[in-house]
């Protein structure tokens, strides 16, 4: 089993920045891709960004150029730096991990508990 614990959510004004962290523990040797999904009220869940153990990244179109995902394998932690935040970025952000090299296309193997990000105009 793998446990994912997120931190760093909160409220910010449009144009501001937030940094999310997700620390993994447990049987982490099995994990390849880690990253973040988000879901806003009334909307479908969307993949924000993911990163492989080797550092290959993928971003959703809505966040390209504004968000940066990174990973510290020694600390088993993935980070999401969110800059130039917009009100439409408001959502619950949930960390996820997969045995596969991508979070997309198939349900991740593990989920965090989620953290709220609110961007006001």
């Amino acid at each position: 089993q793998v446990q994912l614990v997120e931190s760093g959510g909160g409220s910010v004004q449009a144009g501001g920045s937030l940094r999310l962290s997700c620390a993994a523990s447990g049987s982490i040797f099995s994990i390849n891709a880690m990253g973040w999904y988000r879901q806003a009220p009334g909307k479908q869940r969307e993949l924000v960004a993911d990163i492989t153990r080797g550092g290959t990244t993928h971003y959703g179109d809505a966040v390209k150029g504004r968000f940066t995902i990174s990973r510290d394998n020694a600390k088993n932690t993935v980070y999401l730096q969110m800059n130039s935040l917009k009100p439409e970025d408001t959502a619950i952000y949930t960390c996820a991990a997969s045995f596969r090299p991508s979070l997309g296309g198939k349900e991740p193997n593990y989920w965090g508990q989620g953290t709220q990000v609110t961007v006001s105009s």
Side-chain angles (χ1 to χ4, degrees), residues 8-20 82 85-86 89-91 93 115-121:
S11 298
V12 66
Q13 288 192 327
S17 299
L18 285 172
R19 188 193 196 207
L20 305 182
M82 305 184 293
L85 282 161
K86 305 175 181 180
D89 293 318
T90 296
Y93 286 69
T115 186
Q116 178 70 45
V117 170
T118 302
V119 184
S120 57
S121 58

Side-chain angles (χ1 to χ4, degrees), residues 6-21 36-41 46 48 63 66-67 79-95 113-121:
E6 300 121 328
S7 59
S11 298
V12 66
Q13 288 192 327
S17 299
L18 285 172
R19 188 193 196 207
L20 305 182
S21 299
W36 300 86
Y37 281 85
R38 71 183 182 185
Q39 187 165 21
E46 64 173 330
V48 177
V63 306
R66 300 188 297 122
F67 291 12
Y79 306 96
L80 185 68
Q81 178 66 43
M82 305 184 293
N83 297 330
S84 302
L85 282 161
K86 305 175 181 180
E88 51 264 43
D89 293 318
T90 296
I92 296 175
Y93 286 69
T94 306
C95 181
Q113 79 281 6
T115 186
Q116 178 70 45
V117 170
T118 302
V119 184
S120 57
S121 58

Side-chain angles (χ1 to χ4, degrees), residues 22-83:
C22 174
S25 61
S27 301
I28 55 176
F29 61 88
S30 61
I31 294 301
N32 191 337
M34 292 183 67
W36 300 86
Y37 281 85
R38 71 183 182 185
Q39 187 165 21
K43 294 188 176 181
Q44 285 191 330
R45 186 180 66 197
E46 64 173 330
L47 178 59
V48 177
D50 63 15
I51 184 169
T52 67
R53 181 174 289 277
T56 299
T57 59
H58 166 265
Y59 295 92
D61 288 341
V63 306
K64 283 180 181 176
R66 300 188 297 122
F67 291 12
T68 302
I69 191 168
S70 60
R71 181 169 177 168
D72 186 335
N73 288 327
K75 295 182 178 180
N76 302 314
T77 300
V78 64
Y79 306 96
L80 185 68
Q81 178 66 43
M82 305 184 293
N83 297 330

